[in-house]
Amino acid sequence: MPGECGARIRRFDGEYRWFLFRAVPIRNDGGDIVRWYGTDTDIEDLKRAEEKLQQDERELRQVVDLIPQLIFVFEPGGKYLYVNRAALKYWGSFDRDDILSSYAALSGLSDPDEFERLRTQREEGLARGVPFNLEMLIRRDDGAVRCFLVCYNPLLDEQGHVSSVVCDSN
């Protein structure tokens, strides 16, 4: 059975580096393993690049969390992918897991008629695949309602389809 694993090993020059080991058996007509072919590939640079990317992503999320505007990212179907700290603070009773687990969680933040109107306008805007704005009334956790101009910025995949939407509100 073919297999692979990664491990840090000491290279000929004494430096420890990550390697990816792969092995594939060669079988005879009877199904017996007669030989193994394998490769070991130095993946240290790849590991370092992945760690740097993860660090950059953490730092970017921290920066976005410090922006005082309400910022959220969602899929075209409505599932939320990210909500910044300012939005969480404004909505109060919702925690990040509540919002990320259900699009419906936010439906209670506006009047039901308002919610349906906005959903329809949002779907029409997303179908065009270009940035657009919507004015909306959003209820805060304490019941106060404020009018926001929400800027929708669709992100497109390689085929030109909306893959996610970044929103910020003024």
Side-chain angles (χ1 to χ4, degrees):
M1 160 177 281
E4 71 177 37
C5 70
R8 289 190 58 147
I9 63 169
R10 189 171 157 187
R11 215 170 50 171
F12 67 92
D13 60 2
E15 181 182 356
Y16 282 91
R17 295 180 62 90
W18 277 99
F19 279 80
L20 176 63
F21 303 98
R22 290 186 173 141
V24 177
I26 302 300
R27 299 178 186 272
N28 64 18
D29 292 339
D32 299 322
I33 296 174
V34 294
R35 183 174 290 134
W36 284 87
Y37 284 100
T39 61
D40 36 313
T41 307
D42 184 331
I43 59 170
E44 180 72 23
D45 294 337
L46 176 63
K47 286 280 197 180
R48 287 182 185 176
E50 288 172 348
E51 289 171 8
K52 175 73 170 120
L53 185 61
Q54 290 171 354
Q55 177 64 29
D56 290 349
E57 186 176 310
R58 281 190 299 272
E59 289 174 5
L60 180 59
R61 286 187 186 271
Q62 289 173 346
V63 167
V64 174
D65 268 344
L66 295 173
I67 296 172
Q69 292 175 293
L70 280 58
I71 297 175
F72 45 99
V73 181
F74 63 90
E75 294 175 344
K79 181 179 186 290
Y80 283 80
L81 303 171
Y82 175 78
V83 180
N84 77 337
R85 189 179 304 158
L88 291 172
K89 184 177 177 184
Y90 184 82
W91 291 321
S93 64
F94 292 101
D95 66 17
R96 190 167 273 144
D97 290 337
D98 288 338
I99 292 169
L100 297 181
S101 67
S102 171
Y103 172 67
L106 297 181
S107 63
L109 298 176
S110 62
D111 178 87
D113 293 333
E114 172 82 352
F115 182 76
E116 284 304 312
R117 178 188 64 81
L118 293 171
R119 186 178 60 77
T120 301
Q121 288 180 347
R122 185 186 72 212
E123 288 173 0
E124 291 169 357
L126 292 177
R128 292 189 299 271
V130 296
F132 62 97
N133 300 330
L134 290 178
E135 284 187 23
M136 61 178 63
L137 300 173
I138 301 176
R139 183 179 302 116
R140 206 168 47 205
D141 186 44
D142 65 2
V145 176
R146 228 178 107 202
C147 184
F148 285 92
L149 178 64
V150 178
C151 305
Y152 288 78
N153 298 288
L155 303 178
L156 306 179
D157 62 18
E158 295 81 22
Q159 291 80 33
H161 301 108
V162 177
S163 61
S164 60
V165 184
V166 177
C167 298
D168 66 272
S169 57
N170 300 313

